[in-house]
Amino acid sequence: MAASEENSALFPIFILTIMALPLVPYTVMKLCHAATKKSKITHCQCSECLRSGKYRRSIFKRISTFSTCSNLTVVLLWVVMIFLVYYIKNMSGEIQVFEPFSILGLEPGASDSEIKKAYRRLSIQYHPDKNPDPEAHNYFVEYISKAYQALTDPISKENFEKYGHPDGKQGFQMGIALPQFLLDIDGASGGILLLWIVGVCILLPLVIAVIYLSRSSKYTGNYVMHHTLSNYYRLMKPSLAPSKVMEVFIKAAEFMEIPVRRTDEEPLQKLFLLVRSELNLDLKNIKQEQAKFWKQHPPFVKTELLIQAQLTRESDSLSPALVGDFRRVLELAPRLLEELMKMAVIPRTAQGHGWLRPAIGVVELSQCIIQAVPLSAKKTTGGSSEGIAPFLQLPHISESVIKRIARKKVRTFQELRDMSLEDRAELLQAAGLSSTEVQDIERVLEMMPSLSIDVTCETEGEEGIQEGDVVTIQAWVTLKRDNGLVGALPHAPRYPFHKEESFWFLLADPNSNDVWFSQKLSFMDEAAAVSAASKAIEETMEGLGADAKEKSKAIREAVEKVRSGSRLVMGKFLAPVEGNYNLMCYSLCDSWIGCDKKVNLKVKVLKRTRAGSRGGAALEEAVVEDGIEEEEEDDDEEYDYESEYSEDEADEQDSKKKGKIANGAVSKKGSSSEGSGTDED
């Protein structure tokens, strides 16, 4: 009885120990992470971003930021632990050590006569002849009688003084730290114990496994439905124009779950009239085109109209019922576009290459959604290959302001960025902007990233590249901002959620529309970038047979580069057949318009020879396009967008032509990267 009671009393201590072992280190880790977290402001400080309220730290936003599942779970577990500590403290007061004087209700040092009187008094109360209660009988035998013996019997008194118990030295006992009612298997508690064992040991793991398997069978690791990836893979085409990417993007299964209500019909009709010019409808057969548009699946129609409301900045005209659906579509957009990008660059051809043209289209759509700029604004106008889209992402800039700026011979966005502060302020004020609005524009321009790429391509341990070699590409992508930040949130006042910048590095052949290598980059997490770069450099140096000193020096240099704002891109690809290849290295940002960068990379692949008779060097150094020399490209072009939109209407005619450009071959006509490629995989 006493042993079982002691085991039952230890159950809360057992639970407290099990909870404290993982909870205390995890809490310390989270507190240390929060204490060392940088407090540097990484979001835009212009008036439009501040007015949007995304970054306002109200008490409700602080609570919502704190009230994540992990944080709430930690707080709940600490509350349970505090309750257990309080319970154990009170319980320890109830469980008393064997003290004969206390049991008999006497003060230490009482005389023999007082001991006998106390024993007689308690015997009348607890003796089995006087009290038939079994608990009273146990208490009398285990405590009262032994306490009396310990104080009167010489042997019992000696045992108590020596071992702390009148029965002498106690043996070692083992038990289960469970409540007593679960250990009483004779009565109804036996069934409770059985249910407890079955529930905890069998049913709980089974339920967790079923939930995990059902979710994993529906979603990928990026919380995108498998059905969505299947649709994207099936609908992706090598010649997919940027204006057609929208039609593939809206086919996500997540958008099928957005409800289409009867009350949405009239607001969607009004929205259709507002965004009709952006829907690529044939104006010659406008009635038939409209009827064809509305015959699509209702969730797809609703999704496309809501996205166009974001692009055309018509979200203020949405009905209250559509606002929630509108926010849901925008919340899903970044990760769906990321998966769509992966479907574009995934190896499709026999050489293991992806497709360049749809990849550029996906990035353009992402840029326009984040900045709330129409896709039509990217059409080539004047001397700018990117149209007026880069200007429209700046605060307080409208089409009328852009026209006034163009009259001052500033037609490209890069020309505006390259101007000095005084000249730019004078130009913008002459275009009708106030000094406060000019300051907002300067804040945004300070946040915009400037990219540079340093890339090398070689076969490790060999001179030159021969067909069939495993070629290693190593590139350093460096980001700089005028305000000195490296990782920052983009200026996006019309996008209602926090969005981190992401960059895509592509090694592609524009002439054949092939993507040879791709990798996603992020400048937000410096610690992860340092770890990845150190590991990659260490493996490379080990492959080259470098000693420990050289390896340490290379790793130290890589870490310094990462901390100064560079990110390492390293990968391998298989060298194609013999020939000269004019490749292009792209660094594309998914959040800013006009910040993309590309670098020429000329690669000469030699014919495979016998072992030991390798040819000479075959790689020419990368040449960064400054946009000044007209021999390679237009001086205004940082990105080739003419063919992206000017040839959209001619896609159908081009697809009917018999001539096809083989993957991996250099086009003699020098066609643009977006205008070539086969129509089918």
Side-chain angles (χ1 to χ4, degrees):
M1 177 71 180
S4 62
E5 288 181 356
E6 183 178 358
N7 293 332
S8 179
L10 293 176
F11 178 69
I13 302 177
F14 172 74
I15 295 296
L16 179 64
T17 306
I18 295 297
M19 290 178 60
L21 285 176
L23 184 59
V24 173
Y26 180 75
T27 305
V28 172
M29 181 187 68
K30 293 207 73 170
L31 291 176
C32 293
H33 178 71
T36 57
K37 192 175 182 181
K38 294 182 179 179
S39 59
K40 187 183 295 184
I41 297 176
T42 59
H43 62 80
C44 181
Q45 295 294 305
C46 74
S47 60
E48 288 191 359
C49 285
L50 296 178
R51 198 182 308 120
S52 67
K54 285 195 300 183
Y55 310 112
R56 192 176 300 138
R57 304 293 293 173
S58 64
I59 184 64
F60 299 104
K61 285 196 173 183
R62 291 177 185 272
I63 293 175
S64 62
T65 302
F66 172 79
S67 59
T68 60
C69 292
S70 60
N71 290 341
L72 292 178
T73 303
V74 169
V75 171
L76 180 61
L77 291 176
W78 273 106
V79 170
V80 174
M81 283 186 59
I82 293 173
F83 172 76
L84 288 175
V85 170
Y86 177 77
Y87 176 77
I88 292 170
K89 182 179 179 181
N90 292 339
M91 182 184 66
S92 62
E94 297 176 0
I95 301 176
Q96 299 177 357
V97 183
F98 184 82
E99 291 289 345
F101 290 104
S102 299
I103 295 174
L104 297 177
L106 299 172
E107 294 292 334
S111 61
D112 293 341
S113 60
E114 292 176 342
I115 293 173
K116 292 180 180 179
K117 290 180 181 179
Y119 176 71
R120 292 192 191 97
R121 184 181 69 254
L122 293 174
S123 298
I124 297 174
Q125 184 177 357
Y126 292 100
H127 196 277
D129 295 338
K130 306 293 183 180
N131 191 339
D133 188 2
E135 294 292 335
H137 172 70
N138 292 332
Y139 183 73
F140 180 79
V141 174
E142 295 291 338
Y143 290 95
I144 298 176
S145 297
K146 290 183 178 181
Y148 180 70
Q149 291 178 4
L151 296 178
T152 56
D153 185 67
I155 298 177
S156 299
K157 188 174 182 180
E158 181 181 357
N159 289 335
F160 173 71
E161 292 175 352
K162 186 181 295 186
Y163 302 109
H165 199 277
D167 293 337
K169 187 176 181 179
Q170 300 295 298
F172 179 74
Q173 294 181 348
M174 297 183 63
I176 304 175
L178 293 177
Q180 177 60 31
F181 72 92
L182 290 179
L183 299 174
D184 186 12
I185 61 175
D186 295 334
S189 299
I192 298 177
L193 177 61
L194 179 62
L195 291 176
W196 187 82
I197 295 175
V198 171
V200 173
C201 301
I202 300 177
L203 294 182
L204 183 60
L206 185 62
V207 170
I208 295 175
V210 169
I211 294 174
Y212 172 77
L213 292 176
S214 62
R215 186 171 182 82
S216 61
S217 64
K218 187 177 181 181
Y219 292 93
T220 65
N222 199 23
Y223 297 102
V224 175
M225 292 185 178
H226 290 289
H227 188 53
T228 297
L229 300 185
S230 176
N231 289 343
Y232 285 171
Y233 186 86
R234 177 173 51 85
L235 297 173
M236 185 64 64
K237 303 296 180 184
S239 59
L240 192 67
S243 59
K244 304 294 183 183
V245 172
M246 175 76 76
E247 298 178 5
V248 179
F249 171 63
I250 63 175
K251 298 301 190 297
E254 284 82 353
F255 296 144
M256 293 286 293
E257 297 182 348
I258 296 178
V260 179
R261 299 171 287 268
R262 292 183 178 180
T263 55
D264 294 341
E265 184 176 355
E266 183 178 351
L268 289 177
Q269 290 282 356
K270 294 180 180 178
L271 181 60
F272 174 80
L273 297 176
L274 294 174
V275 303
R276 182 170 53 182
S277 61
E278 296 291 327
L279 295 176
N280 295 322
L281 302 179
D282 187 3
L283 299 179
K284 297 179 181 179
N285 303 312
I286 188 63
K287 292 185 178 180
Q288 297 179 0
E289 290 289 317
Q290 290 183 9
K292 182 180 178 181
F293 176 81
W294 288 105
K295 284 182 180 179
Q296 298 181 89
H297 200 46
F300 297 155
V301 173
K302 182 176 182 178
T303 300
E304 184 170 2
L305 290 177
L306 293 177
I307 294 175
Q308 292 294 349
Q310 168 70 3
L311 298 179
T312 57
R313 305 184 179 183
E314 296 289 349
S315 57
D316 294 337
S317 62
L318 297 177
S319 64
L322 289 178
V323 170
D325 300 333
F326 172 74
R327 291 178 60 87
R328 177 60 177 165
V329 169
L330 294 185
E331 184 181 11
L332 293 171
R335 64 173 179 262
L336 291 179
L337 286 168
E338 180 181 344
E339 296 301 323
L340 187 59
M341 181 68 175
K342 293 177 181 178
M343 292 298 106
V345 299
I346 194 174
R348 300 280 193 136
T349 65
Q351 296 79 17
H353 298 159
W355 296 325
L356 177 62
R357 193 181 190 195
I360 292 177
V362 173
V363 174
E364 289 179 354
L365 179 58
S366 176
Q367 293 172 352
C368 291
I369 289 178
I370 300 302
Q371 296 297 338
V373 173
L375 287 170
S376 60
K378 295 182 73 68
K379 291 183 179 180
T380 303
T381 57
S384 175
S385 61
E386 295 180 340
I388 62 174
F391 292 94
L392 292 177
Q393 69 184 335
L394 298 177
H396 316 298
I397 296 290
S398 61
E399 293 188 17
S400 60
V401 174
I402 296 173
K403 291 179 180 178
R404 297 191 198 106
I405 293 175
R407 295 193 191 107
K408 302 294 183 180
K409 307 301 181 182
V410 179
R411 292 184 172 87
T412 66
F413 186 68
Q414 190 60 41
E415 290 178 0
L416 181 68
R417 293 188 67 183
D418 293 339
M419 297 176 68
S420 63
L421 291 176
E422 295 78 11
D423 294 342
R424 188 161 54 229
E426 182 180 352
L427 172 67
L428 294 174
Q429 288 179 357
L433 298 179
S434 64
S435 58
T436 304
E437 293 173 339
V438 172
Q439 290 178 1
D440 279 345
I441 294 176
E442 292 297 338
R443 291 191 184 98
V444 175
L445 292 176
E446 289 178 354
M447 290 288 293
M448 294 190 71
S450 296
L451 300 173
S452 61
I453 306 174
D454 181 19
V455 59
T456 58
C457 226
E458 61 184 3
T459 303
E460 292 183 0
E462 300 287 352
E463 293 184 359
I465 301 174
Q466 292 189 1
E467 55 185 10
D469 283 351
V470 177
V471 183
T472 300
I473 177 174
Q474 178 175 321
W476 283 99
V477 181
T478 304
L479 180 146
K480 293 186 180 300
R481 306 179 202 267
D482 292 341
N483 58 10
L485 294 175
V486 176
L489 301 176
H491 163 79
R494 295 184 178 273
Y495 187 76
F497 302 98
H498 287 249
K499 171 68 175 70
E500 294 184 358
E501 296 172 342
S502 293
F503 298 82
W504 283 91
F505 177 87
L506 304 179
L507 176 65
D509 186 350
N511 296 318
S512 62
N513 194 38
D514 288 339
V515 175
W516 291 24
F517 175 79
S518 64
Q519 183 173 323
K520 186 182 177 184
L521 298 175
S522 175
F523 288 84
M524 296 298 291
D525 193 348
E526 182 181 291
V530 168
S531 175
S534 301
K535 183 178 180 181
I537 295 297
E538 182 180 5
E539 293 176 352
T540 302
M541 298 303 291
E542 288 178 353
L544 296 175
D547 56 22
K549 186 176 181 180
E550 293 175 344
K551 187 191 305 181
S552 177
K553 180 181 178 182
I555 293 175
R556 185 167 59 254
E557 292 176 353
V559 170
E560 291 176 357
K561 282 187 176 182
V562 171
R563 289 175 177 169
S564 64
S566 298
R567 294 294 182 266
L568 176 63
V569 176
M570 183 171 285
K572 299 180 184 296
F573 62 88
L574 196 64
V577 296
E578 177 189 8
N580 296 324
Y581 296 89
N582 294 322
L583 304 181
M584 198 75 71
C585 296
Y586 296 86
S587 182
L588 309 177
C589 180
D590 70 345
S591 303
W592 293 97
I593 304 175
C595 295
D596 303 325
K597 192 71 174 179
K598 63 180 180 179
V599 169
N600 278 332
L601 183 66
K602 296 181 180 180
V603 178
K604 183 178 181 181
V605 180
L606 303 177
K607 187 177 181 180
R608 169 64 70 183
T609 58
R610 293 182 181 179
S613 60
R614 306 256 337 209
L619 176 66
E620 300 182 16
E621 290 297 325
V623 181
V624 181
E625 297 178 355
D626 334 302
I628 297 177
E629 299 181 5
E630 297 181 356
E631 295 178 356
E632 294 182 359
E633 286 190 295
D634 247 352
D635 54 349
D636 293 329
E637 287 184 358
E638 169 120 10
Y639 220 96
D640 235 352
Y641 286 109
E642 291 100 341
S643 59
E644 299 284 343
Y645 290 92
S646 59
E647 296 181 3
D648 286 347
E649 298 177 356
D651 280 342
E652 292 80 4
Q653 298 177 5
D654 293 342
S655 63
K656 296 178 182 178
K657 294 182 179 180
K658 300 298 182 180
K660 295 184 179 179
I661 302 174
N663 286 324
V666 180
S667 173
K668 295 181 180 179
K669 296 181 180 180
S671 58
S672 67
S673 63
E674 293 83 5
S676 61
T678 58
D679 290 333
E680 298 295 337
D681 182 10

